Amino acid sequence: MDFQAGFFYVFAALLLFAAFKVITARNAVHAVLYLMLAFSQAAAIFLLLKAEFLAITLVLVYLGAVMVLFLFVVMMMDINTEVLRKGFWRHFPITALLGAVISVQLIVVLWFGFPQMTVDPAVLTRGMHVPGHENTLELGLLLYSAYLYPVQIAGVILLVGMIAAIALVLRERKDSKAIDASIQVRVKAADRLQVLHMPPTPKPAAAAPDQAPAAQAKEGQP
């Protein structure tokens, strides 16, 4: 086993561990952090496969933007995970069934969908760097020619998800202390500070020390 295969097994093991922790973590923030670890290991595997454009895109888009959005939504919504866990075992059978169906579909597509796919050994020997061909160029031609409609549909789905996340965060909550920005801009000093004019109150003069016992004795006479 060469060093490249060793790195692949290490990255794959960390990827599986992080993916397992994503669905088993009790804290939503911890689940997002484990998802970031899973994406980073997937990017490392892409680098081993000489797909540097996919690796950089995964890091920039998902680790740099989507994960920040996930953390922002999770922290702003303050999701009560205790309520969500109460229905876990009730929905577990249908979840397991859907997971099994998706797994079978992936296995069928990967096992029987590409029976005639072959790779030129010379290309593997040169490390996928064919003179006159670039990964980014070839990927761009495929995305915007053969896979144009799936790319557009994926972009619309991401746009809808972004709008939904913003709408969830900006909803009115009774316990929110947010202030309308337009009110803050038009505020005046008279609206925030009110000066009350009060008449001065005279302070009674204090009795001299030597007259204090005599005054007390006079007050005690009938």
Side-chain angles (χ1 to χ4, degrees):
M1 183 177 64
D2 56 355
F3 73 94
Q4 186 172 358
F7 279 120
F8 171 79
Y9 287 118
V10 172
F11 295 149
L14 290 176
L15 176 59
L16 294 176
F17 169 76
F20 178 77
K21 294 296 292 184
V22 168
I23 60 176
T24 58
R26 294 182 176 271
N27 193 328
V29 178
H30 294 171
V32 174
L33 294 177
Y34 279 117
L35 186 60
M36 295 176 67
L37 177 62
F39 283 154
S40 63
Q41 301 307 307
I45 293 177
F46 281 145
L47 287 176
L48 290 179
L49 296 176
K50 305 299 182 181
E52 64 280 353
F53 177 77
L54 292 178
I56 296 174
T57 304
L58 186 61
V59 172
L60 294 179
V61 175
Y62 285 93
L63 291 180
V66 177
M67 287 297 100
V68 174
L69 178 63
F70 284 174
L71 286 175
F72 179 75
V73 172
V74 167
M75 291 182 177
M76 291 296 293
M77 292 183 63
D78 193 15
I79 301 176
N80 189 1
T81 57
E82 296 295 334
V83 179
L84 298 177
R85 292 196 198 98
K86 293 181 180 178
F88 176 78
W89 294 110
R90 183 179 59 185
H91 302 291
F92 179 77
I94 184 65
T95 304
L97 177 61
L98 292 177
V101 171
I102 294 174
S103 300
V104 171
Q105 290 177 349
L106 290 175
I107 292 173
V108 170
V109 170
L110 295 176
W111 191 266
F112 300 102
F114 307 97
Q116 298 178 355
M117 179 177 289
T118 58
V119 180
D120 187 3
V123 175
L124 294 177
T125 305
R126 290 193 297 268
M128 300 294 291
H129 291 288
V130 182
H133 294 273
E134 298 180 0
N135 292 336
T136 306
L137 177 61
E138 298 294 336
L139 185 60
L141 292 176
L142 285 176
L143 289 180
Y144 294 100
S145 59
Y147 299 98
L148 177 61
Y149 292 109
V151 170
Q152 297 297 326
I153 294 174
V156 172
I157 293 175
L158 291 176
L159 178 62
V160 172
M162 182 178 64
I163 295 175
I166 296 174
L168 289 174
V169 173
L170 293 181
R171 64 180 180 177
E172 294 184 0
R173 297 171 52 181
K174 296 181 179 180
D175 57 344
S176 177
K177 297 182 180 180
I179 302 176
D180 190 358
S182 61
I183 298 177
Q184 290 180 325
V185 172
R186 294 193 299 267
V187 71
K188 297 180 180 179
D191 300 333
R192 296 294 182 90
L193 179 63
Q194 184 178 3
V195 180
L196 299 177
H197 298 281
M198 300 179 63
T201 303
K203 185 177 181 180
D210 54 349
Q211 296 179 359
Q216 293 177 358
K218 186 178 181 180
E219 291 177 358
Q221 293 178 1

